[in-house]
Amino acid sequence: MPRPVSVTYRVWPIAAEVAAGAAELFASAAAAAAEAHGVARIAISGGSTPKVMFTLLADRSQPYFARVPWDKLHLFWVDERCVPPTDAESNYRMTNEALLSKVPLPAAQIHRMKGELDPAVAASQYEAVILEEFGLDRSGDPVFDLVLLGMGDDGHTASLFPHTAALYEMVRLVVANHVLQKETWRVTLTWPVINRGREVAFLIEGAAKTDVLHDVLLGAYDPEAKPSQLIRPASGKLTMLLDSAAAAKLPATGTDGVGTLELS
């Protein structure tokens, strides 16, 4: 049975405001984690909304840059395509161009998935990196301070695609996942790892996501077809940052643009 969770969704009129909300969440979470335990460990995704968020974080004229404790931040990825880091499809390349090349984040604190390797090797190596950076042994459970996710119009999140083997992985932290519908391999965090995050948030925008977002939150529970339904954080709280197009079929928010759903 799925874990009950309280979903808080914040809706803005346009996608650019979603990215600003995401930048605020990133900066706040990083600062709070560094203050609480001396390090901030954040796992990020690719996509258009994160790209704009990264641009805002790197812009020293914006209010976010100065609030991020770059010297205490460790950056991880939720998933990666099996391509070299210089490839146009690489999540790392996008992040590097929009953020990493412009901020004082030490190279030793940037933990990319090595998509250029054999997928199984890349997954095994990344799992080892996570355990080392969290100071854990093989039985340890890493807890990211923030996990930022997207959602595809097929209901996937990270590289947890419908009807793929990774949906059934309960032990490994990172796996190689064959995505038949895209005729490719991906490397991805597993959903139990994502669910252990202290804060877990989806960034979703656009009319192409309207129906699937409604179905994930309000439709029948069928995570094999809609893998985003697997994301039920252990904290009991899930955040969604949305534009009005994506949120069009959700219950109306209050005047503050915030709505809540209780999922059982």
Side-chain angles (χ1 to χ4, degrees), residues 31-229:
E35 177 67 21
H37 44 265
V39 63
R41 301 182 180 98
I42 296 179
I44 57 173
S45 298
S48 58
T49 300
K51 182 176 183 179
V52 179
M53 177 192 72
F54 297 148
T55 300
L56 290 171
L57 288 168
D59 186 346
R60 301 183 189 217
S61 71
Q62 297 292 326
Y64 316 110
F65 176 88
R67 293 168 50 205
V68 176
W70 300 105
D71 60 327
K72 297 180 175 64
L73 174 64
H74 283 251
L75 204 61
F76 298 81
W77 272 258
V78 168
D79 70 325
E80 183 58 278
R81 296 176 174 90
C82 291
V83 296
T86 54
D87 192 282
E89 293 295 305
S90 167
N91 286 337
Y92 168 80
R93 174 178 165 172
M94 181 275 285
T95 309
N96 186 54
E97 291 176 350
L99 178 68
L100 303 179
S101 62
K102 301 174 182 178
V103 297
L105 182 59
Q109 294 167 206
I110 300 168
H111 310 291
R112 74 173 182 91
M113 291 177 167
K114 295 183 178 179
E116 69 273 23
L117 301 180
D118 174 85
V121 173
S124 180
Q125 286 192 6
Y126 205 64
E127 185 168 287
V129 166
I130 290 173
L131 291 170
E132 180 180 1
E133 293 301 328
F134 279 81
L136 300 170
D137 61 23
R138 298 295 297 183
S139 62
D141 293 330
V143 177
F144 288 97
D145 295 299
L146 174 65
V147 182
L148 293 174
L149 301 168
M151 183 187 296
D153 55 15
D154 60 355
H156 86 269
T157 190
S159 280
L160 303 170
F161 283 82
H163 311 291
T164 57
L167 304 184
Y168 304 97
E169 179 58 60
M170 301 290 292
V171 178
R172 295 285 305 277
L173 307 180
V174 187
V175 294
N177 196 28
H178 185 240
V179 184
L180 182 62
Q181 52 267 56
K182 292 186 176 293
E183 299 182 345
T184 189
W185 284 84
R186 299 283 184 90
V187 180
T188 185
L189 296 183
T190 57
W191 61 269
V193 174
I194 293 171
N195 278 337
R196 285 195 289 269
R198 288 189 175 87
E199 188 158 9
V200 181
F202 280 90
L203 316 179
I204 306 173
E205 61 184 53
K209 309 296 175 63
T210 306
D211 289 332
V212 69
L213 178 58
H214 171 272
D215 291 347
V216 164
L217 292 178
L218 299 171
Y221 187 71
D222 183 7
E224 185 172 326
K226 296 169 285 189
S228 290
Q229 290 183 327

